[in-house]
DNA sequence: TATGAATGAGGTTTCATTCAT
DNA sequence: CATGAATGAAACCTCATTCAT
């Protein structure tokens, strides 16, 4: 967003809003949505509760804004990775690595995202929920189109590129989840070639 | 557990406990842990709050019992699927199908399981959390040993069977997740061959 | 009470009642009336809640029975001490010592007695409260009559014997209270002569 | 505490805190700690439960604050009485009278203090309990030092002043307790000379 | 009569939200 | 606008008492 042209007052407000979101991200990802009180967020952000409510009409909406902003940032970075130029498999390698980077740099956040987004009784309005799913879907579609290109270029075998993309997504998640259980065993990056190898060559003897 | 030899009083109590667990499963999976009150569970189970507390020492422990019992049942069925006799790839096919059956038969439950288990500030004691992870890990190991056998039998190519198992797990989850978004598009079973195909042959052109 | 002539059934019942009272005494004096549940008493006495309610119509009445029985026992022993034969001052010495013995042998019980008896919102019906006060009053009167005899015998100076008795009571209690704070400093008995000395000679220079 | 220099907001809060303490004192001393609910206190103070909890972190702590503030006020007044100038016996007379005044002006409060402070399972943290005992002890020591001075001035006979002080304390309490039983019989003040007479001259014939 | 499972009112405490200052 | 004190509904849990067996 272009903030340069705004009057000072408005710029200040945006900055304050961001500070509150930052505090909220920290707290939510440390303790989970339900275990953080509005008072706590306000205190951490060094604002009054009233101020907080002048930016967000409810705790729920604050949470949604937060999820949305994080989702959009991640989405942008992952989309960029998928739109890089180069051989399809190289692009996918980059994507797999970027997924890892985002994940490992923001474990807590990502956990929050995973758990609360898919949770039942999640405090998100369905509009936001859908928006998040839409972003996710868009990403899978983009990956599919990379794969499709790979097929056209003869690098990948025939097959439904969307299915392939879904599978890739799953493999990445599974390895990320593994890493999450024992982060100290080895850095996630070590898995990047493994993931690609399995994804590309499959399990069967040729 | 053998309930036949028990005195009637005790049998009744077990039945009542189960009734409460049933009500809790329904409610939790409809609305999520935090959005269900103890009163509500009691009402749905047609017991008093006090009765509920005579079976479970807290809402948290009730939830844990519930998760554990579901996890153990699922685990048993999946383990059985993996221990069936036959060619490695046929066993895996059976496993993929069974995963689907469990998932689609208990969507809400599974959603609950997914969301709350991994959630931060999850209300589960780490003991239960660990137990669940242990069961999961055991399953992956069992799948890995099936794959290992496949390698020995010349059906699968060389490679770390554990990694393969993790990848398979991921692919299954990804397709299940897809199905969850649009259950009406096609039955999950239609995906079983797709999953196996991708898992076995990979994406690369030969 | 004479229990010998009773039918076996009734004797048994009395024994059970006593067992429950014993358990209740222990628990109440360990944790205070409000912090002991009926379930707990029943468990400690190895009876069912129902059985307990067949003996006492409520927790409150159970408590009253207990207080009454203890009060009566103490009263009997103290009265006996005051009715012993001998010089008035020797009798009082015996009484002071007996008070100490009862107190130090049943500290917890006595604490309970002290605190809950005089407490506001005490769970005792006024009838029982009055009964306890009556017993106390009787004791003071008895002490007063000993003192009166002492006056007649020329051992004590003229003055209202009732007031004297009240004062003696107060001095005893004060020293008991002191002892309660630091029981290990010295045995209560060491104070018996001190109490009598102060009571008899007063503080003023002659 | 100097409240004059404070910002208005803070002054208001202190006032509100005091209002709640007042309501709590009334209720506790009418019905006893356990028989008063937080809701009730809030209602009587014309605040919400939440407001109450913004001042005191729990019912228990509220109770402690209350006990402490009353204990300190009483302590201050009694200490002042003991530190007045004049003959030792006159000072003690003043003290005995002041004890009576405090007691009879706050019967309910004092009852509360007596009963709950010494009670088992009393809801007071040991820190507060100790503080109260400390104040009490300090008072006895102060009385002892007055008596000691009396001894030096030749007004009181030789003897352990601390024991004398304890005894005086006991006599006062006993007469207060008597008065409590039948307040209407005679005003407590009538007992002041009696108490001093017994305390100073003792019971024995000279 | 004895049992102990079941009841449910009532207790303490939290926290999203409002609003006078 | 910002503040933060105040609100009060609703949560979890306890326990004296009842009653079917």
């Amino acid at each position: 967003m272009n903030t340069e042209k705004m009057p000072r007052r408005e710029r200040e407000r945006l900055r304050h809003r961001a500070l509150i979101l930052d505090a909220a991200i920290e707290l939510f990802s440390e303790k989970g949505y339900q275990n953080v009180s509005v008072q706590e967020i306000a205190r951490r952000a060094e604002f009054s509760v009233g101020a907080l409510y002048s930016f967000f009409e409810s705790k729920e909406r604050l949470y949604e804004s937060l999820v949305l902003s994080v989702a959009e940032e991640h989405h942008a970075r992952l989309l960029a990775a998928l739109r890089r130029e180069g051989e399809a498999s190289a692009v996918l390698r980059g994507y797999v690595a970027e997924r890892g980077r985002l994940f490992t740099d923001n474990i807590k956040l990502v956990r929050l995202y995973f758990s609360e987004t898919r949770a039942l009784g999640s405090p998100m309005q369905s509009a936001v929920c859908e928006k998040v799913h839409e972003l996710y879907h868009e990403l899978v579609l983009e990956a599919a189109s990379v794969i499709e290109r790979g097929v056209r270029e003869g690098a990948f075998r025939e097959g439904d590129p969307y299915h392939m993309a879904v599978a890739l997504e799953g493999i990445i998640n599974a390895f990320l989840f593994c890493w999450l259980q024992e982060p100290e065993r080895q850095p996630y990056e070590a898995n990047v070639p493994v993931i690609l190898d399995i994804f590309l060559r499959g399990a069967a003897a040729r």
Side-chain angles (χ1 to χ4, degrees), chain A:
Chain A
M1 230 179 293
N2 192 347
T3 61
E4 289 166 40
K5 306 278 166 64
M6 290 177 175
R8 197 182 46 72
R9 259 314 231 320
E10 213 157 326
R11 261 181 353 231
E12 276 285 273
R13 269 192 75 73
L14 268 180
R15 201 170 56 80
H16 291 177
R17 205 188 107 109
L19 286 173
I20 289 173
L21 276 178
D22 286 347
I25 287 184
E26 271 184 54
L27 284 167
F28 283 145
S29 57
E30 272 166 30
K31 310 162 70 171
Y33 178 79
Q34 299 271 11
N35 307 304
V36 172
S37 73
V38 173
Q39 276 82 347
E40 217 170 339
I41 301 173
R43 207 180 314 127
R44 170 91 58 122
E46 296 180 287
F47 282 94
S48 68
V49 202
L52 194 150
Y53 271 86
S54 82
F55 289 108
F56 306 96
E57 71 182 26
S58 68
K59 187 190 177 190
E60 201 173 314
R61 289 277 193 288
L62 160 57
Y63 178 67
E64 288 173 12
S65 301
L66 182 161
V67 165
L68 224 51
S69 82
V70 171
E72 274 164 355
E73 194 205 319
H74 281 214
H75 182 255
R77 286 183 51 182
L78 292 170
L79 212 55
L82 286 171
R83 287 183 175 162
R84 233 161 261 150
E85 309 222 324
E87 281 183 28
S89 64
V91 169
L92 291 186
R93 167 169 290 110
Y95 173 68
V96 173
E98 184 75 7
R99 278 287 309 264
R101 235 166 285 132
L102 282 174
F103 195 97
T104 56
D105 291 354
N106 308 283
I107 319 174
K108 290 183 172 176
L109 192 58
V110 171
R111 261 201 221 182
L112 176 69
Y113 173 87
F114 261 69
S115 65
E116 311 267 8
T117 304
R118 306 189 182 175
L120 293 158
S122 134
M124 295 195 333
Q125 283 201 327
S126 57
V128 177
C129 246
E130 257 176 51
K131 178 70 183 167
V132 169
H133 284 317
E134 194 190 304
L135 291 179
Y136 176 79
H137 194 226
E138 205 179 318
L139 221 54
V140 177
L141 284 179
E142 191 69 26
S145 85
V146 171
I147 291 169
E148 200 170 13
R149 177 160 63 82
V151 175
R152 280 199 313 274
E153 291 170 353
F156 298 162
R157 69 177 172 90
E158 297 287 333
D160 183 337
Y162 187 77
H163 281 162
M164 292 289 178
V166 166
L168 177 57
E169 209 58 41
I171 301 176
I172 297 173
N173 284 335
F175 276 84
L176 284 171
F177 187 64
C178 270
W179 175 85
L180 199 58
Q181 314 292 67
E182 307 179 79
E184 69 289 343
R185 216 173 57 162
Q186 59 172 345
Y188 168 76
E189 297 111 66
N191 287 316
V192 175
V194 179
I195 292 172
L196 278 163
D197 181 60
I198 299 180
F199 174 65
L200 292 175
R201 298 179 48 209
R206 77 241 87 94

